Amino acid sequence: MLVDLVNKYLISENVKVGNKIKTLNYEEVVYSDFYSNYLHQNVPCIIKNITSDWECQKMWVRTNTPNLEYLETNFGNASVPVANCNEKYYNSHAKTTMLLRDYISYWQKYKKFPDNNQCLYLKDWHFLKEFPDYEIYRVPLMFASDWLNEYLLSKPDFDDYRFVYMGPKGSWTPLHADVFSSFSWSVNICGRKKWVFFPPGEELNLKNKFGELVYSVESEHLKDNALYPNYKNLVEPFVLIQEVGDAIFVPSEWHHQVWNLEDTISINHNWINACNIKIVWKDLLNNLNKIKAEIADCQDMEDWDNQCQLILKSVFGMDINDFLYFIFYIADVRLNCLDNDDLLKLNYSDYSFGKNHIIHDLLSLSHVLSLLKENCLGSKSMNKIINLIERIETFK
């Protein structure tokens, strides 16, 4: 069935059916098994029947299509980020902001005359930050360990990484890997999507001779051996069709491209936890080292280190200090729970974690802290790192 659907909805001959992605049923998923077999192993999967009790599934959808009238009535004055799928900006889409009511007006016209309008995709809308009293969905249990949003929601002035996406048939997202080398999950509440996945390392075969990642896996330029000399080595991708109620787990460092095959609404989170924190640190450090190498001829300039950090933040999404503040917060919260014999009560859901999960988190942090210690950061940070390592050692 999956192969038939994929063949039916293939966008171009350049994308072929390759590896299979495991399908799970939400009611049968055991948290510890999912944690060990998917999060820890960093492999994708699809989970069926997630949204049966979600408010947005009931109110935002009517006769299997987006309930645009409801959305406009209740949220029409919200300012939303919108990407133009017809306009390339570096290796992404050009973006702007619109009022939701104006985007819905565009969408209604586009449905009637799709060839006469730009294809616009509402992406990365921080809906819950703007409307915190609307409990439109519940984070699925297997995605509950979410350090990133736990940390960001403790900072009122920071944006979270919990998003709503909405787009007409034909809207799409270019080939990319997720911010911070984070995990992500995406749940369809309306419509159908096609996903193409490439395991870590395969992106090297999708870069041209200048080291630039191809914009789309449909690009005819990939057939140019002189421009993309490694494309011939590319393994067949993982391809799947996401239906209503399906959750897609996207592991760290997996490049992917996504198309909306129908008018679609989805809920998306990026997150980091004990399973991928070492990957995040490794990729952060690798990016910093590349930046230092690229601008090594400027090393004698004043404030060179800070300039490297500024570039790192623009490229990776965070710098070294951002990472330190993040893991220090996560460690301190968990150590405080253990000191007071408390459960870890999450600020982004009604889940709680007990002692064993808290200690597991801390042990994973201890390893990363040891790696940080080896990189000889500033004395103030070093004292904090050593202190945390010593405190965590007492719980081994």
Side-chain angles (χ1 to χ4, degrees), residues 18-187:
N19 298 294
K20 299 291 182 66
I21 291 179
K22 183 76 172 180
T23 299
L24 310 175
N25 190 306
Y26 183 52
E27 295 178 354
E28 299 171 356
V29 173
V30 177
Y31 178 77
S32 58
D33 291 344
F34 184 84
Y35 198 93
S36 299
N37 297 331
Y38 296 94
L39 299 186
H40 186 67
Q41 298 298 324
N42 202 50
V43 295
C45 66
I46 183 168
I47 308 162
K48 310 292 288 187
N49 305 316
I50 290 281
T51 63
S52 60
D53 60 347
W54 284 15
E55 181 72 12
C56 57
Q57 179 74 81
K58 300 171 185 176
M59 304 303 297
W60 292 20
V61 182
R62 183 175 61 191
T63 59
N64 300 317
T65 61
N67 189 342
L68 299 181
E69 291 78 12
Y70 176 87
L71 292 166
E72 180 177 4
T73 298
N74 289 274
F75 314 113
N77 291 326
S79 181
V80 296
V82 175
N84 184 347
C85 298
N86 302 122
E87 185 177 346
K88 182 179 178 182
Y89 181 75
Y90 291 93
N91 228 37
S92 187
H93 290 145
K95 296 177 182 177
T96 187
T97 57
M98 302 173 65
L99 292 179
L100 180 62
R101 67 175 68 257
D102 294 332
Y103 180 76
I104 288 173
S105 177
Y106 147 78
W107 196 345
Q108 290 168 329
K109 292 176 184 177
Y110 184 85
K111 287 162 68 75
K112 296 178 181 178
F113 307 105
D115 295 333
N116 298 324
N117 291 275
Q118 294 175 317
C119 184
L120 302 182
Y121 192 3
L122 189 163
K123 301 173 66 175
D124 300 328
W125 181 18
H126 298 272
F127 176 88
L128 290 181
K129 185 173 179 65
E130 190 165 354
F131 299 99
D133 295 330
Y134 281 78
E135 297 181 4
I136 60 169
Y137 63 93
R138 186 172 191 253
V139 174
L141 175 61
M142 68 283 294
F143 306 139
S145 180
D146 179 351
W147 296 0
L148 182 60
N149 286 299
E150 176 188 343
Y151 169 67
L152 294 173
L153 290 174
S154 74
K155 312 292 181 184
D157 296 332
F158 286 24
D159 279 333
D160 58 13
Y161 277 82
R162 305 175 298 169
F163 306 113
V164 169
Y165 280 45
M166 302 182 188
K169 177 181 178 180
S171 52
W172 62 290
T173 299
L175 183 66
H176 70 287
D178 285 319
V179 63
F180 312 138
S181 298
S182 63
F183 294 146
S184 66
W185 60 263
S186 177
V187 175

Side-chain angles (χ1 to χ4, degrees), residues 198-207 213 234 253 255:
F198 297 94
E202 285 302 313
E203 72 278 2
L204 300 177
N205 296 323
L206 290 161
K207 290 183 177 181
L213 185 70
L234 187 71
E253 299 181 312
H255 281 70

